[in-house]
Amino acid sequence: MVTGASRGIGRAIAVACAEAGADIALAARSTDALHDAEQEVRKLGRQTVLTCGDLADSGTAVRLVDEAAAGLGGLDILIHNASVFPADDTGTSYLVPFAESGSAEWDPLLAVNIGATVDLCRAAHPYLAASPKAAVVLVSSVAGLIATPAMEAYAVTKAAQLSLMRSLSVGWARQGIRVNALCPGWVRTDMTSPMQQHAPLSDWLMSHVPQGRWLTPTEVAAAALFLAAPAASSVTGHALVCDGGVSVPDGGLAGIPKPASPFAA
Ligand SMILES: NC(=O)c1ccc[n+]([C@@H]2O[C@H](COP(=O)([O-])OP(=O)(O)OC[C@H]3O[C@@H](n4cnc5c(N)ncnc54)[C@H](OP(=O)(O)O)[C@@H]3O)[C@@H](O)[C@H]2O)c1
């Protein structure tokens, strides 16, 4: 099961898993976008189940998991990728200094990024416990590992996912369920579209990426596939960072010229 499978990183993960031979339950809010993703997966010869709902609503996570397991005849792997970033009414992401942030920024992120993560993991547990090759991959973020001014609400929820991942990895280890997380850096998706399009901000962000470029959903999906696959059979409790070097200590300082920070007072 892949949540947030309609676009961006989640869609690339669904395609990577299908290429590796998985039948997939694809979850998101938008049915139309999910149908597009479904076509892509079916072209690879895999079975699909579509399951739609808003993870901000209580009860949705349990329904989505049950529908996925019923449609697939069980559940081996949960890749929980859907998350939200502070966004305006048009869905456009924005950064906001902590002191100016409020419930509009925090509440939806706490509900979806933390609340639904908890609910999905709990709902998936009985299915995963019955599988001989069970794995959970939580798509967190490098923001959960490092300081990210003006993104505090997002970073807090991503750090919470890492905390849950570590506890579940130990708690569920003897049940044969591996639990890991992925920590991408800046990836070219709808979530980061406003940052990509604002040239001074994009230049500043990329100046802190040793690889000096936006990552693609496909290269991040390859890392998620590794964590989900039997190739990672000894890996549990791990946060796999795929960030172009952002989080390497001092990696961003190695002779790369820096524009002035947009956050300078
Ligand atoms: N892009 C980056 O630079 C970056 C960096 C680090 C980590 N990440 C993480 O990677 C994951 C995917 O990010 P992305 O950039 O691919 O995001 P995205 O382009 O915004 O796509 C988000 C996906 O989640 C679904 N979704 C959003 N809100 C939902 C809700 N309330 N209920 C159910 N589904 C929902 C969306 O479909 P619908 O709108 O149809 O529901 C879509 O399929 C997230 O966990 C994000 O935090 C991203």
Side-chain angles (χ1 to χ4, degrees):
M1 176 177 186
V2 181
T3 68
S6 57
R7 51 197 166 87
I9 295 169
R11 180 161 173 167
I13 290 173
V15 170
C17 290
E19 284 170 345
D23 296 329
I24 303 180
L26 303 121
R29 288 169 301 187
S30 156
T31 317
D32 288 348
L34 273 181
H35 278 303
D36 287 348
E38 178 181 46
Q39 293 311 314
E40 208 176 340
V41 168
R42 288 220 170 150
K43 276 185 198 150
L44 295 164
R46 305 316 310 176
Q47 299 294 313
T48 54
V49 173
L50 293 197
T51 176
C52 297
D54 188 340
L55 287 169
D57 300 334
S58 67
T60 298
V62 174
R63 176 176 61 76
L64 297 186
V65 167
D66 287 344
E67 288 176 3
L72 293 171
L75 209 57
D76 298 315
I77 299 166
L78 168 65
I79 302 184
H80 174 39
N81 159 84
S83 274
V84 290
F85 198 87
D88 65 19
D89 292 343
T90 67
T92 305
S93 306
Y94 61 86
L95 305 175
V96 58
F98 174 72
E100 294 166 30
S101 66
S103 61
E105 287 78 30
W106 286 83
D107 291 355
L109 274 67
L110 295 173
V112 176
N113 301 3
I114 299 181
T117 301
V118 171
D119 291 347
L120 283 163
C121 289
R122 204 165 28 214
H125 177 252
Y127 301 109
L128 297 171
S131 164
K133 46 190 171 186
V136 176
V137 180
L138 300 181
V139 181
S140 175
S141 169
V142 72
L145 296 170
I146 63 174
T148 50
M151 292 171 48
E152 287 85 356
Y154 180 75
V156 162
T157 63
K158 292 289 146 179
Q161 290 182 316
L162 296 177
S163 173
L164 182 66
M165 175 276 290
R166 291 193 186 96
S167 295
L168 296 185
S169 73
V170 172
W172 291 356
R174 296 295 174 96
Q175 299 170 41
I177 306 170
R178 295 185 302 105
V179 188
N180 291 290
L182 196 67
C183 294
W186 292 105
V187 187
R188 207 177 273 288
T189 67
D190 292 346
M191 183 181 276
T192 55
S193 173
M195 295 80 146
Q196 297 164 42
Q197 287 164 15
H198 188 272
L201 180 55
S202 179
D203 289 349
W204 183 75
L205 292 172
M206 290 307 110
S207 76
H208 290 76
V209 181
Q211 286 188 332
R213 62 180 176 84
W214 288 87
L215 305 177
T216 67
T218 305
E219 62 191 324
V220 171
L225 176 63
F226 166 70
L227 291 175
S233 60
S234 66
V235 181
T236 196
H238 184 67
L240 178 55
V241 176
C242 43
D243 67 350
V246 170
S247 59
V248 178
D250 292 331
L253 300 176
I256 300 166
K258 300 277 185 303
S261 165
F263 304 112

